[in-house]
């Protein structure tokens, strides 16, 4: 899928200053590698709803706080 191609490209970045955080680890539909949960999906399977954005922000904060 397009998302898998995009993720592969992002993960191929070797710059040590770049950190990648995969929102699908908690926003994805359980049991599928690439499907968003309906709550977080605007309907196209790729873009997040405002609820998804609001859920993602604290995850990023927690990850950054761990550094």
């Amino acid at each position: 899928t397009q998302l898998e191609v995009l993720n592969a490209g992002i993960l191929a970045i070797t710059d040590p200053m770049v950190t990648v955080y995969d929102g699908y680890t908690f926003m994805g539909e359980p049991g599928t590698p690439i499907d968003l949960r309906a709550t977080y999906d605007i309907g196209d399977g790729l873009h997040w709803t405002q609820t998804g954005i609001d859920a993602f922000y604290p995850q990023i904060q927690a990850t950054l706080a761990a550094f």
Side-chain angles (χ1 to χ4, degrees):
T1 69
Q2 291 178 347
L3 180 59
E4 290 169 314
V5 171
L6 174 63
N7 281 347
I10 292 170
L11 293 174
I13 296 171
T14 57
D15 186 333
M17 298 300 293
V18 174
T19 299
V20 176
Y21 187 89
D22 187 0
Y24 280 83
T25 58
F26 70 93
M27 294 174 66
E29 187 64 42
T32 67
I34 60 167
D35 295 331
L36 284 173
R37 294 179 192 204
T39 303
Y40 302 135
D41 184 358
I42 66 166
D44 65 359
L46 183 61
H47 295 95
W48 302 343
T49 60
Q50 186 62 50
T51 301
I53 293 167
D54 293 344
F56 189 66
Y57 180 71
Q59 296 293 325
I60 295 297
Q61 284 184 311
T63 300
L64 293 174
F67 282 102

